[in-house]
Structure formats: structure tokens, C-alpha cells
Amino acid sequence: ILILMDVTEREHGERMRREFTSNVSHELKTPLTSIYGVSDMLASGMVKPEDVKGFAGTIKEESARLISLIDDIMRLSQLDENTVIQEKGVIDLWEITQEAVMRLSRKAQENDVELKCVGTSAVMKGVDYVADEIVYNLCENAIKYNKKGGSVTVTVRSEAGRCVLTVKDTGIGIPPEYQEKIFTPFFRVDKSRSRAMGGAGLGLALVSEIVRQHNGQVKVLESSKKGSMIAIMLPV
Ligand code: ADP
């Protein structure tokens, strides 16, 4: 008897888990090291009174980064357990998009980016706060990785049994070799730029996991130095 076992998928899964754990540890360690360093200086009494405020600000910023990182990791692992998807109800992707765009309008203004959405009702089976996560993340990225005076156009439509959302920006673009990688947890094209804007590279990993669980697709439709267009297709 000869038994052959294909372990490619198992090995791949194990490698992904190892990489994920090592990335999580690294990402958690960076803000914690900074908090430790600053609080150590404060505790030693070496800091001049006028500098205390600045140091406290650093501790606050780094703690906020830690909290947001842990929130993202928890959401990813929650999605991994497949519990969210069982709460599916009837949602309108167009309504959810309009609301997310409204919440982001201030951020767009601050970044000098024009944010607009056009569409029609797109009713589907899904979970509202999960769908909001997709729309919010894509639009937030389109604002963050844009240029001053740029624009973001979001469209929603329902066609042939599926709901289609596109987010088009006039931003910095995604080099062709990274267009698939951006959906991997912790992957960032420009680590320092993303980090400066509070990103840990988990947003698109969340989007891709949600879309996968809805049997949908997420794709970079086009991207150049003039901007990008990302599309989501979800079955009704
Ligand atoms: P982050 O928290 O870094 O924004 P994401 O997972 O949302 O993480 O995105 C991963 C990376 O993909 C970003 O760091 C950025 O380099 C790239 N990216 C995502 N969206 C865009 C976009 N609209 N234009 C250019 N680059 C983008």
C-alpha cells in the first residue's frame, strides 16, 4: 500500500501562522518599547518640567496605536472563527456606503481630498457592521494614500446577482508587484508612510477575509502613479 499525502496547504497554513505571530509580536513590541523608554525617563526624574507634556503625548499616541492594533487583531481572529457570518440579514450596501462616506468627510477635508459617492440601491444578504468595515477601510485608504487636491469616487451598483462597489482615487498608486500582496496581514508598500498615518497593514487583510467569507471577490482593477481603483464583488 502506498499512501501519498499532499501537505502543501497544511505547510502553507503553518507558515502563514508563524509569520503572523512573528509580525504581531514585532508590531506590539515597537510601541511598547517606546512607551517603556519614555516612562522610564519620566520615572527617573531626568525630564525637565516643560518637556513632561511632550513625553506624556508620546505615551498617549503609542498607547492609542496599541489599542487600535489589538482591536484589528481581535477582529481578524473573530472573523477566523466564522461566528460573524452566521448573523447575516438583509442589508443595502448603498445605504452603508453613504453612511461610511459621511463619517469620512471630515478626514477627507483635512487631507484636502474631495470625496464623493454615486450609486443605486444594492440589497444583499450580509452583516451591516461587517460591510461597513469593507467600505470604510477602502475609502479611508483612498484618502490616506492620496495627493493634496486629489479625489475619491465611490460607486455602488447591483448587477447580475451581485453587488459591486468600486473605490477610485487619484493617489500614489500601488506598484504592480504589490497589488496582490497588499491583502496580506501587516504588508505595507511604504512602512514608514503607513505607520506615520497610524496603519499597521491590517485593514485590507480584514477586507479580504470578510469578502472571502461572503464568497465575493476583491481586486485592484487598475493602478498607476495617477491613482488606483479597487473593486469588491459580493453575491446578492
Ligand atoms: P494600512 O493600515 O497600512 O493602511 P492596509 O492593509 O489598509 O494597511 O493597506 C496595506 C497597504 O496597501 C498600505 O500600507 C498601502 O501601502 C497600500 N494601499 C492600500 N490602499 C491603497 C491606495 N488606495 N493607494 C495606494 N496604496 C494603497
Side-chain angles (χ1 to χ4, degrees), residues 50-82:
E50 63 267 31
D51 292 335
V52 169
K53 208 171 159 193
F55 279 76
T58 307
I59 294 181
K60 190 180 160 197
E61 261 171 44
E62 295 295 329
S63 316
R65 179 189 295 283
L66 266 181
I67 293 170
S68 126
L69 185 65
I70 292 168
D71 274 349
D72 282 352
I73 294 170
M74 279 167 66
R75 279 210 301 282
L76 256 182
S77 77
Q78 210 185 0
L79 278 169
D80 229 19
E81 288 162 13
N82 269 329

mmCIF file of all heavy atoms in Angstrom, residues 50-82:
data_model
loop_
_atom_site.group_PDB
_atom_site.id
_atom_site.type_symbol
_atom_site.label_atom_id
_atom_site.label_comp_id
_atom_site.label_asym_id
_atom_site.label_seq_id
_atom_site.Cartn_x
_atom_site.Cartn_y
_atom_site.Cartn_z
ATOM 1 N N GLU A 50 9.069 71.336 31.623
ATOM 2 C CA GLU A 50 8.426 71.806 30.388
ATOM 3 C C GLU A 50 8.353 70.719 29.304
ATOM 4 O O GLU A 50 7.630 70.857 28.317
ATOM 5 C CB GLU A 50 9.112 73.076 29.850
ATOM 6 C CG GLU A 50 10.563 72.909 29.445
ATOM 7 C CD GLU A 50 11.553 73.240 30.569
ATOM 8 O OE1 GLU A 50 11.198 73.025 31.749
ATOM 9 O OE2 GLU A 50 12.675 73.680 30.258
ATOM 10 N N ASP A 51 9.132 69.634 29.487
ATOM 11 C CA ASP A 51 9.111 68.567 28.476
ATOM 12 C C ASP A 51 8.138 67.442 28.824
ATOM 13 O O ASP A 51 7.874 66.553 28.003
ATOM 14 C CB ASP A 51 10.514 67.959 28.303
ATOM 15 C CG ASP A 51 11.480 68.949 27.675
ATOM 16 O OD1 ASP A 51 10.983 69.858 26.970
ATOM 17 O OD2 ASP A 51 12.689 68.837 27.911
ATOM 18 N N VAL A 52 7.611 67.492 30.061
ATOM 19 C CA VAL A 52 6.752 66.393 30.528
ATOM 20 C C VAL A 52 5.541 66.212 29.606
ATOM 21 O O VAL A 52 5.180 65.090 29.230
ATOM 22 C CB VAL A 52 6.297 66.630 31.995
ATOM 23 C CG1 VAL A 52 5.210 65.660 32.403
ATOM 24 C CG2 VAL A 52 7.491 66.505 32.932
ATOM 25 N N LYS A 53 4.947 67.341 29.179
ATOM 26 C CA LYS A 53 3.750 67.271 28.337
ATOM 27 C C LYS A 53 4.031 66.515 27.028
ATOM 28 O O LYS A 53 3.254 65.654 26.601
ATOM 29 C CB LYS A 53 3.266 68.687 28.023
ATOM 30 C CG LYS A 53 1.797 68.756 27.779
ATOM 31 C CD LYS A 53 1.338 70.178 27.692
ATOM 32 C CE LYS A 53 0.016 70.208 26.955
ATOM 33 N NZ LYS A 53 -0.367 71.531 26.556
ATOM 34 N N GLY A 54 5.143 66.823 26.407
ATOM 35 C CA GLY A 54 5.520 66.164 25.145
ATOM 36 C C GLY A 54 5.703 64.668 25.341
ATOM 37 O O GLY A 54 5.231 63.857 24.527
ATOM 38 N N PHE A 55 6.365 64.307 26.439
ATOM 39 C CA PHE A 55 6.610 62.880 26.704
ATOM 40 C C PHE A 55 5.291 62.150 26.965
ATOM 41 O O PHE A 55 5.079 61.036 26.491
ATOM 42 C CB PHE A 55 7.556 62.723 27.907
ATOM 43 C CG PHE A 55 9.000 62.905 27.534
ATOM 44 C CD1 PHE A 55 9.541 64.157 27.300
ATOM 45 C CD2 PHE A 55 9.829 61.798 27.403
ATOM 46 C CE1 PHE A 55 10.869 64.316 26.936
ATOM 47 C CE2 PHE A 55 11.161 61.945 27.044
ATOM 48 C CZ PHE A 55 11.687 63.210 26.800
ATOM 49 N N ALA A 56 4.404 62.824 27.730
ATOM 50 C CA ALA A 56 3.099 62.205 28.023
ATOM 51 C C ALA A 56 2.323 62.014 26.715
ATOM 52 O O ALA A 56 1.629 61.003 26.525
ATOM 53 C CB ALA A 56 2.311 63.078 28.993
ATOM 54 N N GLY A 57 2.467 62.982 25.807
ATOM 55 C CA GLY A 57 1.801 62.889 24.499
ATOM 56 C C GLY A 57 2.271 61.662 23.737
ATOM 57 O O GLY A 57 1.468 60.973 23.100
ATOM 58 N N THR A 58 3.578 61.385 23.796
ATOM 59 C CA THR A 58 4.111 60.204 23.108
ATOM 60 C C THR A 58 3.496 58.931 23.694
ATOM 61 O O THR A 58 3.091 58.024 22.956
ATOM 62 C CB THR A 58 5.658 60.146 23.272
ATOM 63 O OG1 THR A 58 6.182 61.387 22.864
ATOM 64 C CG2 THR A 58 6.255 59.013 22.475
ATOM 65 N N ILE A 59 3.416 58.886 25.014
ATOM 66 C CA ILE A 59 2.838 57.690 25.657
ATOM 67 C C ILE A 59 1.392 57.517 25.193
ATOM 68 O O ILE A 59 0.948 56.416 24.851
ATOM 69 C CB ILE A 59 2.904 57.804 27.204
ATOM 70 C CG1 ILE A 59 4.356 57.794 27.659
ATOM 71 C CG2 ILE A 59 2.095 56.695 27.877
ATOM 72 C CD1 ILE A 59 4.565 57.884 29.143
ATOM 73 N N LYS A 60 0.644 58.643 25.132
ATOM 74 C CA LYS A 60 -0.759 58.572 24.720
ATOM 75 C C LYS A 60 -0.876 58.054 23.280
ATOM 76 O O LYS A 60 -1.666 57.152 22.995
ATOM 77 C CB LYS A 60 -1.386 59.963 24.852
ATOM 78 C CG LYS A 60 -2.872 59.960 24.676
ATOM 79 C CD LYS A 60 -3.441 61.340 24.809
ATOM 80 C CE LYS A 60 -4.808 61.354 24.157
ATOM 81 N NZ LYS A 60 -5.287 62.674 23.887
ATOM 82 N N GLU A 61 -0.057 58.629 22.380
ATOM 83 C CA GLU A 61 -0.118 58.228 20.963
ATOM 84 C C GLU A 61 0.211 56.756 20.772
ATOM 85 O O GLU A 61 -0.476 56.029 20.060
ATOM 86 C CB GLU A 61 0.921 59.024 20.163
ATOM 87 C CG GLU A 61 0.361 60.201 19.429
ATOM 88 C CD GLU A 61 1.487 61.043 18.860
ATOM 89 O OE1 GLU A 61 2.440 60.479 18.297
ATOM 90 O OE2 GLU A 61 1.403 62.278 19.012
ATOM 91 N N GLU A 62 1.288 56.326 21.439
ATOM 92 C CA GLU A 62 1.719 54.935 21.266
ATOM 93 C C GLU A 62 0.701 53.969 21.883
ATOM 94 O O GLU A 62 0.484 52.877 21.367
ATOM 95 C CB GLU A 62 3.110 54.711 21.881
ATOM 96 C CG GLU A 62 4.222 55.488 21.183
ATOM 97 C CD GLU A 62 4.468 55.051 19.741
ATOM 98 O OE1 GLU A 62 4.273 53.874 19.417
ATOM 99 O OE2 GLU A 62 4.853 55.912 18.923
ATOM 100 N N SER A 63 0.042 54.397 22.995
ATOM 101 C CA SER A 63 -0.975 53.526 23.597
ATOM 102 C C SER A 63 -2.167 53.413 22.660
ATOM 103 O O SER A 63 -2.749 52.339 22.493
ATOM 104 C CB SER A 63 -1.477 54.054 24.942
ATOM 105 O OG SER A 63 -0.425 54.481 25.712
ATOM 106 N N ALA A 64 -2.534 54.543 22.024
ATOM 107 C CA ALA A 64 -3.665 54.519 21.093
ATOM 108 C C ALA A 64 -3.359 53.577 19.939
ATOM 109 O O ALA A 64 -4.218 52.810 19.479
ATOM 110 C CB ALA A 64 -3.941 55.922 20.570
ATOM 111 N N ARG A 65 -2.102 53.608 19.465
ATOM 112 C CA ARG A 65 -1.700 52.717 18.365
ATOM 113 C C ARG A 65 -1.843 51.249 18.794
ATOM 114 O O ARG A 65 -2.347 50.413 18.055
ATOM 115 C CB ARG A 65 -0.252 53.012 17.998
ATOM 116 C CG ARG A 65 0.289 52.136 16.887
ATOM 117 C CD ARG A 65 1.762 52.337 16.725
ATOM 118 N NE ARG A 65 2.098 53.676 16.277
ATOM 119 C CZ ARG A 65 1.957 54.075 15.016
ATOM 120 N NH1 ARG A 65 1.490 53.256 14.126
ATOM 121 N NH2 ARG A 65 2.286 55.286 14.673
ATOM 122 N N LEU A 66 -1.410 50.973 20.066
ATOM 123 C CA LEU A 66 -1.508 49.599 20.580
ATOM 124 C C LEU A 66 -2.957 49.126 20.623
ATOM 125 O O LEU A 66 -3.284 48.018 20.211
ATOM 126 C CB LEU A 66 -0.953 49.553 22.007
ATOM 127 C CG LEU A 66 0.506 49.168 22.191
ATOM 128 C CD1 LEU A 66 0.857 49.150 23.668
ATOM 129 C CD2 LEU A 66 0.775 47.788 21.600
ATOM 130 N N ILE A 67 -3.835 50.014 21.133
ATOM 131 C CA ILE A 67 -5.251 49.643 21.259
ATOM 132 C C ILE A 67 -5.845 49.354 19.879
ATOM 133 O O ILE A 67 -6.513 48.336 19.674
ATOM 134 C CB ILE A 67 -6.055 50.758 21.977
ATOM 135 C CG1 ILE A 67 -5.581 50.848 23.433
ATOM 136 C CG2 ILE A 67 -7.559 50.492 21.927
ATOM 137 C CD1 ILE A 67 -6.098 52.044 24.183
ATOM 138 N N SER A 68 -5.538 50.229 18.906
ATOM 139 C CA SER A 68 -6.122 50.029 17.573
ATOM 140 C C SER A 68 -5.581 48.752 16.927
ATOM 141 O O SER A 68 -6.307 48.016 16.264
ATOM 142 C CB SER A 68 -5.901 51.283 16.743
ATOM 143 O OG SER A 68 -5.284 51.028 15.541
ATOM 144 N N LEU A 69 -4.302 48.470 17.185
ATOM 145 C CA LEU A 69 -3.692 47.256 16.644
ATOM 146 C C LEU A 69 -4.359 46.005 17.241
ATOM 147 O O LEU A 69 -4.733 45.074 16.524
ATOM 148 C CB LEU A 69 -2.200 47.280 16.991
ATOM 149 C CG LEU A 69 -1.327 46.190 16.435
ATOM 150 C CD1 LEU A 69 -1.292 46.301 14.922
ATOM 151 C CD2 LEU A 69 0.098 46.326 16.976
ATOM 152 N N ILE A 70 -4.538 46.035 18.559
ATOM 153 C CA ILE A 70 -5.147 44.873 19.227
ATOM 154 C C ILE A 70 -6.603 44.702 18.760
ATOM 155 O O ILE A 70 -7.059 43.579 18.526
ATOM 156 C CB ILE A 70 -5.030 45.004 20.768
ATOM 157 C CG1 ILE A 70 -3.551 44.870 21.149
ATOM 158 C CG2 ILE A 70 -5.866 43.963 21.491
ATOM 159 C CD1 ILE A 70 -3.204 45.238 22.546
ATOM 160 N N ASP A 71 -7.313 45.823 18.566
ATOM 161 C CA ASP A 71 -8.697 45.764 18.050
ATOM 162 C C ASP A 71 -8.727 45.049 16.700
ATOM 163 O O ASP A 71 -9.552 44.171 16.461
ATOM 164 C CB ASP A 71 -9.252 47.177 17.843
ATOM 165 C CG ASP A 71 -9.858 47.733 19.107
ATOM 166 O OD1 ASP A 71 -10.018 46.945 20.056
ATOM 167 O OD2 ASP A 71 -10.143 48.945 19.150
ATOM 168 N N ASP A 72 -7.803 45.466 15.800
ATOM 169 C CA ASP A 72 -7.749 44.860 14.458
ATOM 170 C C ASP A 72 -7.444 43.359 14.545
ATOM 171 O O ASP A 72 -8.060 42.553 13.854
ATOM 172 C CB ASP A 72 -6.661 45.532 13.599
ATOM 173 C CG ASP A 72 -7.120 46.867 13.050
ATOM 174 O OD1 ASP A 72 -8.306 47.181 13.199
ATOM 175 O OD2 ASP A 72 -6.285 47.582 12.472
ATOM 176 N N ILE A 73 -6.480 43.007 15.397
ATOM 177 C CA ILE A 73 -6.093 41.587 15.518
ATOM 178 C C ILE A 73 -7.278 40.777 16.048
ATOM 179 O O ILE A 73 -7.573 39.681 15.572
ATOM 180 C CB ILE A 73 -4.860 41.429 16.435
ATOM 181 C CG1 ILE A 73 -3.645 42.092 15.782
ATOM 182 C CG2 ILE A 73 -4.570 39.965 16.715
ATOM 183 C CD1 ILE A 73 -2.434 42.220 16.677
ATOM 184 N N MET A 74 -8.001 41.367 17.019
ATOM 185 C CA MET A 74 -9.156 40.651 17.577
ATOM 186 C C MET A 74 -10.248 40.466 16.537
ATOM 187 O O MET A 74 -10.885 39.418 16.454
ATOM 188 C CB MET A 74 -9.703 41.391 18.806
ATOM 189 C CG MET A 74 -8.886 41.063 20.044
ATOM 190 S SD MET A 74 -9.225 42.139 21.425
ATOM 191 C CE MET A 74 -10.879 41.747 21.808
ATOM 192 N N ARG A 75 -10.444 41.503 15.690
ATOM 193 C CA ARG A 75 -11.474 41.388 14.650
ATOM 194 C C ARG A 75 -11.098 40.322 13.630
ATOM 195 O O ARG A 75 -11.928 39.537 13.191
ATOM 196 C CB ARG A 75 -11.700 42.737 13.971
ATOM 197 C CG ARG A 75 -12.609 43.636 14.785
ATOM 198 C CD ARG A 75 -13.387 44.574 13.911
ATOM 199 N NE ARG A 75 -12.511 45.422 13.130
ATOM 200 C CZ ARG A 75 -11.880 46.495 13.602
ATOM 201 N NH1 ARG A 75 -12.055 46.834 14.858
ATOM 202 N NH2 ARG A 75 -11.108 47.223 12.823
ATOM 203 N N LEU A 76 -9.799 40.279 13.306
ATOM 204 C CA LEU A 76 -9.337 39.252 12.355
ATOM 205 C C LEU A 76 -9.563 37.854 12.916
ATOM 206 O O LEU A 76 -10.028 36.957 12.223
ATOM 207 C CB LEU A 76 -7.837 39.433 12.085
ATOM 208 C CG LEU A 76 -7.412 40.058 10.776
ATOM 209 C CD1 LEU A 76 -5.898 40.094 10.683
ATOM 210 C CD2 LEU A 76 -7.964 39.315 9.579
ATOM 211 N N SER A 77 -9.253 37.676 14.210
ATOM 212 C CA SER A 77 -9.391 36.322 14.760
ATOM 213 C C SER A 77 -10.863 35.962 14.947
ATOM 214 O O SER A 77 -11.262 34.821 14.786
ATOM 215 C CB SER A 77 -8.587 36.154 16.053
ATOM 216 O OG SER A 77 -9.249 36.758 17.100
ATOM 217 N N GLN A 78 -11.695 36.987 15.201
ATOM 218 C CA GLN A 78 -13.140 36.757 15.296
ATOM 219 C C GLN A 78 -13.678 36.267 13.944
ATOM 220 O O GLN A 78 -14.462 35.330 13.864
ATOM 221 C CB GLN A 78 -13.807 38.076 15.653
ATOM 222 C CG GLN A 78 -15.069 37.946 16.456
ATOM 223 C CD GLN A 78 -15.689 39.327 16.643
ATOM 224 O OE1 GLN A 78 -15.175 40.347 16.172
ATOM 225 N NE2 GLN A 78 -16.802 39.362 17.322
ATOM 226 N N LEU A 79 -13.191 36.913 12.877
ATOM 227 C CA LEU A 79 -13.611 36.515 11.530
ATOM 228 C C LEU A 79 -13.138 35.099 11.221
ATOM 229 O O LEU A 79 -13.834 34.319 10.565
ATOM 230 C CB LEU A 79 -13.014 37.463 10.496
ATOM 231 C CG LEU A 79 -13.725 38.779 10.276
ATOM 232 C CD1 LEU A 79 -12.871 39.701 9.435
ATOM 233 C CD2 LEU A 79 -15.063 38.562 9.598
ATOM 234 N N ASP A 80 -11.967 34.777 11.726
ATOM 235 C CA ASP A 80 -11.383 33.456 11.510
ATOM 236 C C ASP A 80 -12.265 32.356 12.090
ATOM 237 O O ASP A 80 -12.322 31.249 11.584
ATOM 238 C CB ASP A 80 -10.025 33.429 12.221
ATOM 239 C CG ASP A 80 -8.937 32.916 11.326
ATOM 240 O OD1 ASP A 80 -9.153 32.928 10.106
ATOM 241 O OD2 ASP A 80 -7.885 32.516 11.846
ATOM 242 N N GLU A 81 -12.974 32.715 13.181
ATOM 243 C CA GLU A 81 -13.821 31.706 13.835
ATOM 244 C C GLU A 81 -15.158 31.521 13.126
ATOM 245 O O GLU A 81 -15.982 30.714 13.545
ATOM 246 C CB GLU A 81 -14.081 32.107 15.291
ATOM 247 C CG GLU A 81 -12.855 31.936 16.164
ATOM 248 C CD GLU A 81 -12.980 32.721 17.461
ATOM 249 O OE1 GLU A 81 -14.094 33.177 17.789
ATOM 250 O OE2 GLU A 81 -11.947 32.883 18.126
ATOM 251 N N ASN A 82 -15.414 32.327 12.097
ATOM 252 C CA ASN A 82 -16.639 32.193 11.302
ATOM 253 C C ASN A 82 -17.922 32.474 12.063
ATOM 254 O O ASN A 82 -18.988 32.037 11.675
ATOM 255 C CB ASN A 82 -16.746 30.783 10.727
ATOM 256 C CG ASN A 82 -16.112 30.708 9.367
ATOM 257 O OD1 ASN A 82 -16.117 31.692 8.622
ATOM 258 N ND2 ASN A 82 -15.552 29.562 9.047
#
